[in-house]
């Protein structure tokens, strides 16, 4: 048995007039996240953590923001590619842990649903996915969503 | 044997007139950390890393800041709950690594004592705990303390 | 077999008139990174991740910025010390994953070369090193380079 570790980071500014999608879940909120795709900061960080763990580049290698094909794309497409890279390298996910750093909306009330959705997209059990949230105390980042993700793989 | 990975993040602004407590250690300094509890940015991030590793929610799930019971609370209470969740899930901590990002005070002179204290709170040997510090170069965060924590568990 | 996890963070502001060195690689760019040493944000974060994984302090413990010896030093010197600490503790690196958060220069075109260089400095195969990059969307950090690094060790 062999193991691998990966870490992913992403950030997107909030913007009025777009829907908020985090972890593949449509969330009721007054603003969404700016970005070429659907701006799903959590799925982007998970995608990068998976790609990094198997040394397969990053989300920008596979899906350049300059490519018009990914305008408004569902980020689950990016995640699917990362899962294929993990499988091709001969690994499977042991568990994944995540933190969302954002002033609002509150994540606690939807954390269970978010965990179900992320687990489903990753082919994991909910108990193998950690969903956490922090407000950006003292960081002057109230208009940004940041995601940190770690993942452990085994072959 | 099965392993798990967790990651925790926290930030608190510095504020005059409150004592500085980091890693359960009272530290001589001109300011402390703002927060509903004692503002212990390091114990909060450790607590979240442990909870996330076993998919047990986050510090806000167990100790909502809206709950008056946790006003001024010692953060070791939060940590104890996370350690119980880890034990109930059937895991033990292999090692933990941490980074404090803050302009001051200097951590190097107290790093040994901090490592002893955190190890004691976690039931670990000092050699199983990493304590590191960085100043926030270029980040305009001189009045904030940030903590990043990773943890490895095994069953 | 026993495993260990480590995490490293670093940041440096961009500054005109100095060469840009990241991951031990000289990179063509209009600015470099400010710092007492060569400002290699990626090697500093890797050094700290390795030291933290074996609870051996941090880069500042071994190489205080107040020490004139390290002025303009190649950061590969710091990394070598961390690798010695890992070996002395009886561990070897399984894999390492990294993220650079910076507005420019673009990393994708040099990611392959960067991966080769970092792997060489660590005594790893390129496939055991993850190199990723993000622009700091919404973070007002366009004039800073930030690095996050995770490492997995085994004995
Ligand atoms: Mg993104
Ligand atoms: Mg806190
Ligand atoms: Mg540095």
């Amino acid at each position: 048995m062999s193991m691998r570790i990966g870490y992913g980071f992403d950030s997107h500014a909030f913007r009025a007039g777009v829907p908020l999608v985090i972890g593949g879940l449509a969330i009721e909120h007054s603003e969404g996240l700016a970005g070429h795709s659907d701006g799903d900061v959590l799925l982007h960080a998970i995608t990068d953590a998976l790609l990094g763990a198997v040394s397969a580049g990053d989300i920008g290698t596979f899906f350049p923001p300059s490519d018009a094909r990914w305008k408004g794309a569902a980020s689950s497409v990016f995640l699917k590619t990362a899962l294929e890279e993990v499988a091709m390298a001969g690994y499977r996910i042991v568990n994944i842990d995540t933190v969302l750093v954002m002033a609002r909306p509150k994540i606690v009330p939807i954390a269970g649903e978010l965990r179900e959705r992320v687990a489903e997209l990753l082919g994991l059990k909910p108990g193998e996915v950690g969903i956490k949230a922090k407000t950006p105390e003292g960081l002057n980042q109230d208009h940004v969503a940041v995601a940190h993700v770690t993942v452990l793989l085994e072959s």
Side-chain angles (χ1 to χ4, degrees), chain A:
Chain A
M1 194 192 69
S2 148
M3 307 199 80
R4 286 284 184 127
I5 195 176
Y7 167 83
F9 172 91
D10 197 27
S11 65
H12 285 270
F14 278 94
R15 181 160 64 179
V18 291
L20 180 60
V21 182
I22 295 181
L25 199 69
I27 298 172
E28 278 295 324
H29 191 54
S30 55
E31 300 175 301
L33 294 171
H36 196 65
S37 67
D38 62 5
D40 192 329
V41 68
L42 182 57
L43 291 195
H44 295 181
I46 293 174
T47 298
D48 258 8
L50 292 169
L51 291 173
V54 295
S55 189
D58 64 14
I59 200 170
T61 321
F62 288 88
F63 306 100
S66 56
D67 189 328
R69 265 183 302 171
W70 317 119
K71 189 156 160 53
S75 296
S76 53
V77 174
F78 309 158
L79 187 60
K80 193 157 171 287
T81 293
L83 289 170
E84 287 166 2
E85 290 291 322
V86 167
M88 275 198 298
Y91 289 88
R92 67 167 204 90
I93 303 171
V94 176
N95 83 300
I96 190 160
D97 190 21
T98 73
V99 183
L100 289 162
V101 185
M102 45 200 272
R104 61 193 77 78
K106 289 282 171 218
I107 296 299
V108 166
I110 58 167
E113 197 181 353
L114 200 44
R115 190 174 73 147
E116 294 271 351
R117 180 70 180 128
V118 170
E120 182 191 5
L121 288 169
L122 292 169
L124 296 175
K125 294 174 202 146
E128 293 161 346
V129 175
I131 300 286
K132 308 191 303 300
K134 301 301 293 181
T135 50
E137 299 298 323
L139 295 173
N140 287 317
Q141 293 176 0
D142 279 8
H143 246 68
V144 196
V146 167
H148 297 271
V149 171
T150 39
V151 66
L152 188 64
L153 308 181
E154 70 180 7
S155 64

